[in-house]
Amino acid sequence: MSTTDDDTLPGIPNVGKADLDAMVENERPDPREELADVEADTDLGVAMAEDAQRVARGELTGDQYWEKYDEAAADEFGEAYQETPNPAVDAGDQTVSTGTAESLSCAVGSMDTVAAESAQVEGEEPDGGIGAGDEKWGMVIDLQKCVGCDSCTVACKSENRTPPGVSYNVVMEEEHGEFPNVTRTNVPRPCMQCDNPPCVQVCPVSATYKMDDGVVNIDYDRCIGCRYCIIACPYGARYFDFGENYDDEVDEAGELTSPEYGVDRGPREEGKSPIGNVRKCSFCTHRLERGEEPACVETCVGDARNMGDLENPDSDVAQMADSSRAFQLKEDEGTDPNVYYLK
Amino acid sequence: MSTQSSRFEFDPGFEDDRLRVAWYAVVGVLVAVGAYATYLRITGGMATTNLTSIVPWGAWVAFYIYFVGLSAGAFLVSTMANVFEVEGMHRIDRDALFAAIISMAVALLFVWIDLGRMDRMYFPFIWRQLTSALSWEVHAYVAYIGILVTELYFSMRIDLARIAERTSGLRQTFYTALALGRLDTSEGSRSFDQRWLKRAGIVGIPLAIFMVHGGTGVLFAVSKARPYWNSGLFPVIFVISALLSGTALVMVVYVLRTRLFDGDSVDPDLLDRLAQLLIGFIIVDAALTAIETFIAIASVHPHEIETWQVIMYGPMSWSFWWFMVGFSWVFPMVLLTKKAWRRTPSVMVLAGLSVVIGIIAVRFNIVVPAQIMPVMEGLPHGAYFPTLVEWGTSIGMIGVGLLLYTLGAETLPLTPLTGGDH
């Protein structure tokens, strides 16, 4: 993007660097105005901010900066300052000398260690780990609203980073009747998270099991890849990870993986789980744990997919699942899915 | 009779040295092909197969249940001698037991290579699932191999002791070790062995029928999602076809080993007895399969009917008509009908081999067709034919079985030194 370029493209405004800088300056909030809204000392705040910029430019060292402001900050913020770890102090990436770090009156230890400690103290970790929530997760899919766009399938693939040949969600297209009386139904199919899951029943090593919140989990560290569960699933919802990648389509396609069932496994590598394991939809357990809806529910253009607690009678999904329009796939199998459909 | 050891001649192994070289060369090629294919399988992972998430079980599973069936069948034939004391069957007791052990080892090799994570093969012994047929099966296989080895030991121990008595040096140490140091060849020790052989056999019979092979049938039959397998008759047919293939295998092994290793003539009465057994098993197997097919078709369940259409008229229907119906039922049945043929070793080897090969197609036609029809309307149909890697590894594992069997037949007294009935 050269600023001296005269032959501008049609429809693209011809703006130079100076114009852009002016625009940024125009948008920049006035520091004094901003800091006036908070209780803390405005002068101190502005001075610290300006010196921080000097540190960034290399005109001032981190040590000098913190020696200059440590006392003032401690006076101004008191206990809150002393209990908060200083971002300049960190085991891996420390920007001030050890001497300075130890002389500071704010909390010692890196951000990470302090964060871990405070989490333990506050008991933020749920008692039973992943899937131990009080909800019983259920999904209701309104077939009248589904337009068959397959956005759910795409959102699922991108959220769960599933390899070629693995698609936790598919949209089955059914045509009924004969011309001219033809109807077409699109039936999205995630894992049904059955109450009586045949897959769990057949697993020889108990690698797949039902969690308290109703989701059927797969322990990738235990699965031996015998594929008996794929055979047993009446919904075809399970897939084997053959180790393929989208390397031809995207560079470093295997670098990013999804923290399925709350476990971050790092980049995809040959011979490392989940390659050689069986995989399936987890209702985006990792998202549910963060208080988010599954990717397919969030993305659905027609708002056809709903997620919620089936055991809470006031929840939307419980009411929809109770309606006369509601049905489950293959009800006579006795699997009792937690995915309901509305006719 | 046990004291006059000079009367027993022990010279196992091929009679003809050129045949030995040729045979080991063939087996060596099979094992080498298998080793290369296994290398490809291990480095390339499961992507080297034609398996998919729609057809997750293929050739390896088919061969696995095939060899479990061969083993269970051969074992049950052996019990005719050592438990039911059918006259004239002792001659093949050890042949049958040894073939059963080797078949089981090969079956487990097939299970192993089929695992997505081969490195986790021992996990089923650490974690279990009471409702999983496969979890039970793994344990049944181990117990069953234990029974087979125990039986072979008690059946063969006295001859191992006799050989140890007459040899010296390393060979003596070898046979003494195999006899677990029990070198007594008295009548008392012989009857002790016979008693324990019978006891192990009595435990082994229900284990083989209900757990090992019936259980393998249950493994499939519990899959409600696959109506083709989901029938009570299914495990029974499994056991019958196992008896069929096992009897055929024992017959082939008996003739070939007697001719090529012992240089003896085949006992036509024994051959006839095995042949008549084979006739019975062919009839029961074909009849039960017909009943099963009829029940399936009479249910007018679309999944059942379409699966049978795939089997009988689909792209792989040749394996049903030629191999399953032709090689395992019709062709051997023709050869078995004439009494003179039943007493002719070469004809019976042909009939036996025909069954042994035909039952492979039976196993493929159990495993694959149920996965062709999608479990739900709207999901894709499956298609499957093994890759070269799958064929190569299969050939290799069969080669390993042949090698182990040959090595055993060249060193062990598989033919009773006293020459037949105890």
Side-chain angles (χ1 to χ4, degrees):
Chain A
M1 283 283 173
S2 165
T3 49
T4 55
D5 208 354
D6 284 336
D7 48 340
T8 53
L9 292 165
I12 308 283
N14 184 13
V15 285
K17 186 175 180 298
D19 299 324
L20 292 171
D21 284 350
M23 284 161 78
V24 171
E25 194 58 29
N26 198 32
E27 288 296 313
R28 198 168 70 93
D30 178 58
R32 291 196 170 271
E33 235 170 70
E34 292 291 311
L35 289 176
D37 290 343
V38 293
E39 279 177 27
D41 183 6
T42 302
D43 289 334
L44 177 66
V46 172
M48 283 182 82
E50 282 171 358
D51 276 347
Q53 287 177 0
R54 277 190 202 105
V55 174
R57 287 195 295 268
E59 294 164 12
L60 199 69
T61 67
D63 286 357
Q64 286 168 330
Y65 178 86
W66 284 109
E67 273 158 24
K68 189 171 170 185
Y69 289 111
D70 182 48
E71 209 175 312
D75 287 346
E76 182 66 28
F77 299 104
E79 226 173 82
Y81 177 75
Q82 280 150 19
E83 284 175 4
T84 310
N86 190 309
V89 181
D90 198 294
D93 190 24
Q94 186 160 317
T95 55
V96 295
S97 69
T98 318
T100 308
E102 279 168 6
S103 74
L104 294 177
S105 51
C106 57
V108 284
S110 67
M111 296 288 266
D112 285 347
T113 55
V114 175
E117 276 166 23
S118 72
Q120 271 179 354
V121 172
E122 290 163 31
E124 279 175 11
E125 281 288 308
D127 306 332
I130 197 101
D134 292 331
E135 299 90 350
K136 187 195 178 189
W137 295 114
M139 191 182 282
V140 180
I141 303 174
D142 189 338
L143 298 181
Q144 299 292 332
K145 286 182 176 176
C146 175
V147 296
C149 68
D150 256 314
S151 297
C152 44
T153 309
V154 175
C156 174
K157 281 205 79 79
S158 99
E159 171 68 31
N160 290 297
R161 301 247 149 207
T162 49
V166 178
S167 184
Y168 296 166
N169 184 86
V170 296
V171 180
M172 304 182 298
E173 293 168 356
E174 292 175 6
E175 264 184 23
H176 296 285
E178 276 176 34
F179 179 82
N181 300 314
V182 185
T183 57
R184 180 164 160 164
T185 319
N186 305 298
V187 184
R189 196 251 29 226
C191 168
M192 301 289 132
Q193 319 291 356
C194 305
D195 265 359
N196 302 314
C199 52
V200 169
Q201 187 189 324
V202 300
C203 177
V205 292
S206 298
T208 189
Y209 56 92
K210 206 148 167 69
M211 298 193 287
D212 289 346
D213 64 3
V215 174
V216 175
N217 189 321
I218 300 176
D219 183 347
Y220 292 147
D221 292 325
R222 190 184 288 188
C223 171
I224 59 174
C226 73
R227 310 183 297 290
Y228 197 4
C229 53
I230 306 184
I231 292 288
C233 176
Y235 304 98
R238 286 180 166 250
Y239 296 83
F240 187 75
D241 191 333
F242 284 89
E244 287 168 62
N245 288 302
Y246 285 114
D247 284 337
D248 292 341
E249 289 82 3
V250 188
D251 274 345
E252 298 179 341
E255 285 300 301
L256 258 183
T257 55
S258 160
E260 285 179 80
Y261 307 105
V263 185
D264 187 359
R265 290 172 189 276
R268 250 170 101 71
E269 279 166 37
E270 233 174 81
K272 197 178 94 175
S273 285
I275 292 173
N277 293 137
V278 173
R279 307 179 61 173
K280 69 167 194 74
C281 154
S282 66
F283 267 2
C284 280
T285 291
H286 57 288
R287 289 175 61 97
L288 291 174
E289 296 283 320
R290 301 197 292 248
E292 296 168 15
E293 292 183 316
C296 57
V297 175
E298 192 178 67
T299 205
C300 180
V301 296
D303 203 17
R305 298 178 85 124
N306 303 273
M307 189 74 189
D309 182 3
L310 284 174
E311 271 174 2
N312 174 6
D314 297 329
S315 73
D316 288 349
V317 288
Q319 286 172 359
M320 284 190 274
D322 254 355
S323 87
S324 57
R325 285 173 63 203
F327 72 98
Q328 298 157 307
L329 291 182
K330 291 195 172 182
E331 279 170 9
D332 55 351
E333 291 272 334
T335 47
D336 195 8
N338 282 314
V339 174
Y340 290 81
Y341 294 85
L342 300 181
K343 293 191 246 260
Chain B
M1 71 184 206
S2 55
T3 47
Q4 290 167 290
S5 55
S6 56
R7 266 180 52 193
F8 308 122
E9 201 184 310
F10 179 60
D11 178 27
F14 285 96
E15 291 287 299
D16 183 342
D17 277 341
R18 277 183 311 179
L19 188 63
R20 173 187 281 123
V21 173
W23 175 247
Y24 277 113
V26 170
V27 173
V29 169
L30 298 184
V31 174
V33 167
Y36 180 63
T38 305
Y39 164 76
L40 293 177
R41 151 71 181 94
I42 288 171
T43 52
M46 291 294 281
T48 55
T49 67
N50 266 345
L51 297 170
T52 59
S53 292
I54 303 163
V55 186
W57 281 357
W60 290 329
V61 171
F63 276 115
Y64 141 59
I65 62 172
Y66 170 74
F67 280 101
V68 171
L70 271 189
S71 176
F75 164 75
L76 290 171
V77 171
S78 84
T79 63
M80 287 180 200
N82 56 43
V83 177
F84 300 107
E85 290 169 3
V86 176
E87 214 178 312
M89 297 286 275
H90 284 287
R91 173 66 184 73
I92 52 152
D93 184 14
R94 298 173 197 171
D95 266 329
L97 284 171
F98 191 56
I101 292 170
I102 301 296
S103 296
M104 215 48 218
V106 175
L108 291 184
L109 282 180
F110 274 104
V111 176
W112 186 29
I113 202 164
D114 189 58
L115 293 182
R117 291 294 301 257
M118 291 172 70
D119 53 319
R120 295 180 179 174
M121 59 171 173
Y122 59 91
F123 276 24
F125 301 107
I126 301 177
W127 295 291
R128 295 175 176 82
Q129 172 63 268
L130 280 178
T131 53
S132 170
L134 191 52
S135 182
W136 283 92
E137 280 314 287
V138 174
H139 296 85
Y141 295 156
V142 173
Y144 173 63
I145 291 175
I147 289 283
L148 290 177
V149 172
T150 307
E151 280 215 64
L152 184 60
Y153 170 76
F154 282 120
S155 171
M156 201 164 61
R157 203 267 325 161
I158 196 160
D159 282 348
L160 290 170
R162 284 169 183 154
I163 297 162
E165 214 169 68
R166 281 182 301 152
T167 48
S168 57
L170 261 182
R171 281 168 65 90
Q172 187 176 34
T173 317
F174 176 71
Y175 289 108
T176 307
L178 285 183
L180 299 181
R182 290 179 55 233
L183 296 180
D184 188 357
T185 55
S186 68
E187 191 57 33
S189 76
R190 198 188 68 87
S191 58
F192 175 87
D193 284 358
Q194 289 305 312
R195 206 160 56 240
W196 279 98
L197 174 60
K198 189 167 180 175
R199 283 174 186 168
I202 287 168
V203 176
I205 291 169
L207 186 66
I209 294 179
F210 302 114
M211 292 297 293
V212 171
H213 210 60
T216 307
V218 169
L219 199 147
F220 290 87
V222 292
S223 300
K224 209 180 163 196
R226 318 273 170 179
Y228 172 57
W229 294 337
N230 188 218
S231 105
L233 201 50
F234 205 74
V236 180
I237 297 182
F238 248 70
V239 174
I240 301 298
S241 56
L243 282 167
L244 175 57
S245 64
T247 309
L249 177 73
V250 171
M251 196 162 82
V252 172
V253 165
Y254 165 59
V255 172
L256 292 183
R257 218 180 48 77
T258 305
R259 279 289 186 79
L260 304 175
F261 282 62
D262 295 350
D264 275 348
S265 55
V266 172
D267 173 6
D269 290 332
L270 177 52
L271 198 59
D272 196 5
R273 212 166 286 132
L274 287 171
Q276 287 180 31
L277 267 179
L278 210 54
I279 295 177
F281 290 140
I282 290 177
I283 292 171
V284 180
D285 189 43
L288 287 183
T289 307
I291 290 173
E292 170 87 348
T293 314
F294 175 71
I295 295 174
I297 292 173
S299 75
V300 246
H301 191 296
H303 207 286
E304 294 264 26
I305 291 187
E306 283 165 39
T307 304
W308 272 104
Q309 278 174 339
V310 166
I311 294 169
M312 290 194 284
Y313 310 113
M316 299 292 286
S317 57
W318 54 267
S319 77
F320 175 77
W321 295 111
W322 285 101
F323 283 83
M324 192 165 158
V325 176
F327 282 8
S328 63
W329 296 335
V330 178
F331 182 60
M333 201 62 180
V334 169
L335 296 181
L336 289 163
T337 44
K338 207 168 149 188
K339 190 172 182 188
W341 284 347
R342 288 204 297 273
R343 304 174 77 84
T344 312
S346 55
V347 179
M348 284 305 98
V349 167
L350 198 60
L353 279 178
S354 171
V355 171
V356 167
I357 290 166
I359 296 288
I360 296 177
V362 173
R363 300 312 183 207
F364 270 82
N365 273 315
I366 284 170
V367 173
V368 180
Q371 303 171 72
I372 301 301
M373 294 303 301
V375 286
M376 277 196 296
E377 192 191 342
L379 292 176
H381 279 65
Y384 173 75
F385 194 80
T387 57
L388 281 179
V389 168
E390 286 175 272
W391 285 123
T393 49
S394 301
I395 286 169
M397 285 181 282
I398 293 168
V400 168
L402 292 174
L403 180 65
L404 290 175
Y405 183 84
T406 315
L407 290 176
E410 290 225 76
T411 47
L412 301 174
L414 292 181
T415 308
L417 294 186
T418 45
D421 275 47
H422 306 277

